[in-house]
């Protein structure tokens, strides 16, 4: 009964979305306040209905209702409760229900917190957001219904969730990633609504920034969780493989970062309007492209959800309709978005344009590398593989240029600046960065330039962010400057923290790539071997039963200078229901390095295959992601995002001029 109610609630939500898509849009065109006003309660009702539908599906998974086809295919009675819940979105149909739930949530948030928006813009934003929902409701109900029953007699148990997904990192990775993917729909809705109105101004730039910032923040967390999972769960020791599905989330992240910086120019100077609108359209467009890649079967990936071409065609149609419609509207309205702000070649506006160009071209490079094997197979009948060497060579130069420009661009004044004057407080940071790079070059055993360059860039960005903060305190004694530093707006702190987080991640990647070491050997129980200053002893290998798996678990002691520093238990798990093995690395995490051990297959002589990695600065990669996310939180806390439009509305009311 609960499952049927969930299905019914989903159908009702689709009907509500159709009304929300049409009535407020007509009301905004006709300036009918009553019709525009229905958008807010409808957005709330739609969210509540989808939430009820999602709760019903979750109930089916938690109670192991094997009359439901989705539960049979993705659950099992012996599975831990966390993975019963995460099994709701650990499949194609359930993840699409989560998608529309988040889509409705963002629409409802725009209704709840959009009181500062003009009535016509708010109505149009909610109508465009509802139109996206309508498309995905159709996709779910006609091709991916999560509430399909199985024929009687019902199975006594299910086929279990993909073992690779039975992990805490992967339990939380998809929701955060979807919050980012789907969150970009709000920027798209704001862009299309502004195009329909034919008006993009500073207030619009200020309204769209928090939504884009929230999407970027969630994408950062989601990508970080996915990278962390790949590092410790897959057993290959890497953190990023340039997998097509990894790239599918990375491209919107790059474009969202560009959109954030571009919207600043619209807000502060009312320039780059057309470019910002285009970025908002493209950012969500790449989210839809990612959805297509994951769910169409055109690529093979450990992350892919579905291999049904029919579903791929439907998503491709959604992409064509929304991107084609938005870009056509953009072409028709481009002349109405005349920029007001004029700026010189050396200015913060120019620096942000340079930032945007680098991020957009980097996203395009990743896009080309991701789809080129598909294009080559379709057009030339050739099977090609584009791997890490291409992406590393093509993508890295853009990131180097970006990090070089960040501190300078952040400190340049608006409209017109003096490069020599801007660089003056940064010379000390530059000298220290180069000195540190030279010291690392001298001390390291190899002669790779990667680590010294990585350190120099990271120090340059972090030091530049600190200098920028300090300069914003003005002049005076130290106590007054520290007081002003504490009272700086959240956006200033958020910018400095996010840039520093990027620097930490870049240095972690550089240090790990340059200095990691690997050892592969066969060891007998009781053997002790040395690697990179550590001694590893294989003490025991045993069979250990788990909740829904059987583990081959090794006990391995790690020694340094004759002292035991860790006892690790790498595993090789076998899931009998899913008939799939997984590796669980044993990792001794440290501030400066990780000791990473993997147990392999038994050998004919009774030994065991052992892989040992020493990974310097591995945890800095994810620490940087956390710091970037923290910077996003600080920026979102800036009260200027909440009060500026409200002040504008109050001024309009006082003068009797409608705030439209």
């Amino acid at each position: 009964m609960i499952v049927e109610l969930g299905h019914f609630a989903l159908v009702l939500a689709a009907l509500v979305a159709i009304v929300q898509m049409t009535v407020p849009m007509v009301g905004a065109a006709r300036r009918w306040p009553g019709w525009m006003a229905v958008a807010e309660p409808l957005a709330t009702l739609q969210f509540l209905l989808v939430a009820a539908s999602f709760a019903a599906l979750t109930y089916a998974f938690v109670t192991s209702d094997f009359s439901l086809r989705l539960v049979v295919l993705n659950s099992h009675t012996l599975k831990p409760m966390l993975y019963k819940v995460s099994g709701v979105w650990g499949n194609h149909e359930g993840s699409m229900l989560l998608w529309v739930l988040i889509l409705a949530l963002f629409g409802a948030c725009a209704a709840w917190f959009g009181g500062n928006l003009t009535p016509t813009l708010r109505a149009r934003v909610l109508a465009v957001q509802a139109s996206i929902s309508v498309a995905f409701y159709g996709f779910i109900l006609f091709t991916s219904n999560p509430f399909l029953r199985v024929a009687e007699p019902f199975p006594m148990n299910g086929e279990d969730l993909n073992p690779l997904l039975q992990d805490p990192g992967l339990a939380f990775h998809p929701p955060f990633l979807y919050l980012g993917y789907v969150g970009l729909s709000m920027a798209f809705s704001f862009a299309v609504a502004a195009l329909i109105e034919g008006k993009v101004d500073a207030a619009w730039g200020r309204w769209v920034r928090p939504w884009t910032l929230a999407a970027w923040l969630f994408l950062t967390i989601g990508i970080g969780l996915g990278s962390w999972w790949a590092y410790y769960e897959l057993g290959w020791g890497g953190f990023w493989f340039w997998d097509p599905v990894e790239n599918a989330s990375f491209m919107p992240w790059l474009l969202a970062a560009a959109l954030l910086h571009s919207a600043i120019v619209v807000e502060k100077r009312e320039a780059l309007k057309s470019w910002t609108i285009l970025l908002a359209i493209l950012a969500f467009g790449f989210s839809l492209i990612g959805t297509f890649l994951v769910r169409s079967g055109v690529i093979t990936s450990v992350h892919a959800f579905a291999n049904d071409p029919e579903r791929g065609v439907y998503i491709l149609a959604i992409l064509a309709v929304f991107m084609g419609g938005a870009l056509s509207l953009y072409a028709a309205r481009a002349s109405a978005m005349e920029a007001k702000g004029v700026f010189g070649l050396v200015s913060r506006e120019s620096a942000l344009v340079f930032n945007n160009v680098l991020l957009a071209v980097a996203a395009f490079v990743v896009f080309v590398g991701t789809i080129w094997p598909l294009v080559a197979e379709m057009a030339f009948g050739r099977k090609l593989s584009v791997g890490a060497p291409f992406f590393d060579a093509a993508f890295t130069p853009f990131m180097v240029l970006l990090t070089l420009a960040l501190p300078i661009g952040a400190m340049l004044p608006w409209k017109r600046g003096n490069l020599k004057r801007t660089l003056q407080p940064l010379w000390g940071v530059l000298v220290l960065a180069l000195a540190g790079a030279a010291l690392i070059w001298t001390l390291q055993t190899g002669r790779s330039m990667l680590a010294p360059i990585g350190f120099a860039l990271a120090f340059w960005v972090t030091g530049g962010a600190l200098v920028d903060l300090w300069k914003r305190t003005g002049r005076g004694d130290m106590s007054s400057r520290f007081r002003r530093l504490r009272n700086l707006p959240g956006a200033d702190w958020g910018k400095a923290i996010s840039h520093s987080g990027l620097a930490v991640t870049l240095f972690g990647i550089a240090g790990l790539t340059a200095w990691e070491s690997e050892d592969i050997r066969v060891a007998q129980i009781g053997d002790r071997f040395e690697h990179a200053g550590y001694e590893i002893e294989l003490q025991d290998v045993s069979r250990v039963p788990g909740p829904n798996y059987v583990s081959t678990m090794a006990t391995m002691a790690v020694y340094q200078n004759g002292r035991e520093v860790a006892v690790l238990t790498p595993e090789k798990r076998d899931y009998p229901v899913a008939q799939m093995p997984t590796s669980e690395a044993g990792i001794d995490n440290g501030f400066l390095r990780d000791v990473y051990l993997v147990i392999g297959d038994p050998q004919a002589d009774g030994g065991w295959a052992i892989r040992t990695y020493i990974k310097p600065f591995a945890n800095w990669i994810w620490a940087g992601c956390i710091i970037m996310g923290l910077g996003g939180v600080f920026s979102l806390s800036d009260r200027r995002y909440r009060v500026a439009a409200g002040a504008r509305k109050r001024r309009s009311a006082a003068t009797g001029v409608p705030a439209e």
Side-chain angles (χ1 to χ4, degrees):
M1 181 64 179
I2 291 179
V3 170
E4 278 70 26
L5 288 175
H7 190 187
F8 183 61
L10 186 61
V11 174
L12 283 180
L15 296 176
V16 170
I18 292 172
V19 179
Q20 183 185 336
M21 175 182 68
T22 53
V23 173
M25 189 68 78
V26 174
R30 299 288 187 178
R31 296 297 195 273
W32 294 341
W35 286 44
M36 289 189 287
V38 303
E40 297 167 48
L42 287 177
T44 301
L45 178 59
Q46 185 197 156
F47 168 68
L48 293 176
L49 288 169
V50 183
S53 180
F54 189 83
L57 186 63
T58 304
Y59 176 82
F61 270 84
V62 169
T63 59
S64 297
D65 182 357
F66 295 118
S67 68
L68 201 63
R69 178 177 177 272
L70 201 63
V71 179
V72 173
L73 295 177
N74 296 280
S75 192
H76 193 273
T77 54
L78 297 179
K79 194 166 64 173
M81 182 57 68
L82 172 62
Y83 305 130
K84 286 186 177 182
V85 175
S86 65
V88 178
W89 55 79
N91 57 83
H92 168 69
E93 291 84 357
S95 65
M96 288 311 304
L97 186 59
L98 177 63
W99 177 286
V100 294
L101 173 66
I102 295 173
L103 196 60
L105 173 62
F106 272 96
C109 286
W112 299 336
F113 306 113
N116 294 335
L117 300 173
T118 60
T120 53
L121 182 62
R122 181 169 64 247
R124 286 174 171 137
V125 167
L126 293 176
V128 175
Q129 189 76 1
S131 69
I132 303 171
S133 296
V134 168
F136 280 96
Y137 285 132
F139 176 65
I140 291 177
L141 292 172
F142 295 124
T143 72
S144 310
N145 191 344
F147 295 105
L148 294 179
R149 295 284 194 177
V150 296
E152 295 189 37
F154 303 140
M156 297 298 295
N157 220 324
E159 298 178 11
D160 209 356
L161 179 67
N162 184 336
L164 289 175
L165 305 180
Q166 296 186 39
D167 178 86
L170 256 287
F172 299 105
H173 162 68
F176 278 106
L177 209 58
Y178 289 177
L179 283 165
Y181 266 144
V182 182
L184 290 173
S185 66
M186 285 306 304
F188 176 84
S189 296
F190 269 94
V192 173
L195 287 172
I196 294 172
E197 290 205 348
K199 181 180 179 182
V200 177
D201 56 13
W204 181 90
R206 180 158 292 185
W207 286 326
V208 81
R209 276 182 67 193
W211 299 103
T212 306
L213 182 59
W216 177 87
L217 167 62
F218 288 126
L219 268 177
T220 302
I221 297 172
I223 292 172
L225 281 173
S227 172
W228 179 55
W229 166 80
Y231 173 72
Y232 71 78
E233 172 68 20
L234 297 183
W236 60 290
F239 62 93
W240 192 261
F241 192 62
W242 293 106
D243 180 276
V245 180
E246 293 174 335
N247 297 345
S249 61
F250 191 43
M251 291 182 287
W253 185 88
L254 291 169
L255 290 172
L259 175 58
L260 273 176
H261 292 85
S262 181
I264 295 173
V265 184
V266 177
E267 177 189 345
K268 302 292 186 182
R269 300 283 299 141
E270 293 206 34
L272 302 185
K273 295 179 182 180
S274 295
W275 173 244
T276 305
I277 291 286
L278 181 61
L279 276 178
I281 294 171
L282 292 179
F284 182 60
F286 272 87
S287 293
L288 293 178
I289 289 172
T291 305
F292 170 74
L293 292 175
V294 176
R295 302 172 192 278
S296 62
V298 299
I299 60 168
T300 301
S301 168
V302 69
H303 308 75
F305 272 115
N307 295 298
D308 187 350
E310 179 187 351
R311 292 168 175 170
V313 170
Y314 198 112
I315 296 174
L316 206 57
I318 294 175
L319 175 65
V321 169
F322 282 94
M323 291 301 101
L327 292 174
S328 298
L329 185 59
Y330 174 79
R333 294 284 195 173
S335 59
M337 293 179 287
E338 182 180 354
K340 295 182 180 179
V342 178
F343 52 88
L345 183 61
V346 179
S347 63
R348 187 175 299 185
E349 292 94 328
S350 294
L352 289 170
V353 170
F354 184 61
N355 161 287
N356 270 220
V357 170
L358 290 175
L359 288 169
V361 175
F364 180 73
V365 167
V366 177
F367 175 68
V368 170
T370 302
I371 68 164
W372 184 248
L374 176 62
V375 173
E377 185 173 357
M378 293 176 60
F380 311 115
R382 298 177 58 189
K383 289 189 176 294
L384 298 177
S385 176
V386 178
F390 165 80
F391 289 106
D392 291 342
F395 180 81
T396 303
F398 296 105
M399 291 299 100
V400 172
L401 288 173
L402 182 67
T403 52
L404 286 172
L406 270 180
I408 302 173
M411 295 182 64
L412 279 170
W414 294 104
K415 195 173 181 179
R416 187 174 292 106
N418 184 297
L419 189 59
K420 182 179 179 181
R421 186 180 303 167
T422 302
L423 281 172
Q424 186 174 356
L426 291 173
W427 283 117
V429 176
L430 180 60
V431 170
L432 289 175
L434 294 176
L439 179 63
I440 292 173
W441 167 261
T442 303
L443 294 178
Q444 68 179 5
T445 53
R447 283 295 179 261
S448 168
M449 286 297 296
L450 184 59
I453 291 175
F455 173 83
L457 291 175
F459 192 93
W460 168 248
V461 172
T462 305
L466 295 176
V467 169
D468 183 28
L469 280 177
W470 186 247
K471 277 188 65 66
R472 290 177 184 277
T473 63
R475 297 182 179 181
D477 58 78
M478 293 295 289
S479 61
S480 62
R481 295 190 73 174
F482 273 111
R483 185 172 60 255
R484 289 194 291 270
L485 182 67
R486 187 175 63 250
N487 294 328
L488 284 176
D492 290 343
W493 277 103
K495 178 182 69 174
I497 293 171
S498 294
H499 288 179
S500 300
L502 176 64
V504 171
T505 293
L506 290 177
F507 177 67
I509 292 172
L512 174 61
T513 306
W515 294 327
E516 75 171 328
S517 60
E518 176 184 4
D519 177 83
I520 303 175
R521 67 176 65 222
V522 174
Q524 303 284 339
I525 294 177
D527 284 356
R528 181 183 290 200
F529 58 91
E530 190 274 337
H531 175 63
Y534 292 87
E535 290 185 327
I536 316 296
E537 181 182 1
L538 178 60
Q539 295 180 339
D540 188 31
V541 179
S542 57
R543 298 280 283 179
V544 179
N548 59 335
Y549 60 85
V550 178
S551 169
T552 299
M553 180 182 294
T555 302
M556 305 179 71
V558 180
Y559 301 89
Q560 186 177 32
N561 299 324
R563 181 176 62 87
E564 183 182 283
V565 295
V567 176
L568 304 178
T569 55
E571 302 177 57
K572 196 174 184 67
R573 294 178 179 176
D574 180 59
Y575 291 78
V577 176
Q579 297 184 350
M580 182 177 177
T582 65
S583 293
E584 299 286 330
I587 306 175
D588 178 40
N589 298 112
F591 181 71
L592 298 179
R593 60 91 187 112
D594 280 0
V595 179
Y596 187 107
L597 303 177
V598 180
I599 181 73
D601 296 324
Q603 305 299 301
D605 61 356
W608 294 86
I610 302 293
R611 279 183 292 153
T612 305
Y613 302 89
I614 305 300
K615 294 185 170 292
F617 300 103
N619 290 302
W620 289 45
I621 298 173
W622 302 290
C625 292
I626 295 172
I627 295 171
M628 280 189 277
L630 185 62
V633 172
F634 267 84
S635 293
L636 279 174
S637 70
D638 194 323
R639 65 189 300 268
R640 292 177 297 177
Y641 292 138
R642 302 190 297 273
V643 303
R648 179 175 180 266
K649 185 176 179 182
R650 289 190 294 273
R651 287 195 303 270
S652 300
T655 58
V657 179
E660 297 181 5

